[in-house]
Amino acid sequence: MIAKDTARRIGAVSGLIAGWVLMSFLGYGGLMPAAIFGASFCVVGAITAEQWHARKRR
């Protein structure tokens, strides 16, 4: 089983990549949209991974 911090990091990086992919798919470009999409999806990915890890520990 992976550690909680490792799961959070993997989720954050996955969320960051998903945010950038969605941003480019929607046609946005530039620094500000990249920061908004990247930060938002990074946080969502980390939270999701942390919850997934907590469910696996039960």
Side-chain angles (χ1 to χ4, degrees):
M1 189 67 170
I2 61 175
K4 183 179 178 181
D5 290 337
T6 305
R8 192 182 310 142
R9 286 183 192 127
I10 292 170
V13 171
S14 299
L16 183 66
I17 293 169
W20 283 342
V21 167
L22 181 64
M23 182 188 79
S24 65
F25 179 73
L26 293 175
Y28 290 105
L31 183 61
M32 212 50 188
I36 292 168
F37 277 89
S40 300
F41 278 84
C42 188
V43 169
V44 169
I47 291 171
T48 304
E50 191 171 334
Q51 289 177 352
W52 172 80
H53 183 269
R55 276 193 219 136
K56 289 288 189 178
R57 300 281 285 174
R58 290 184 189 169

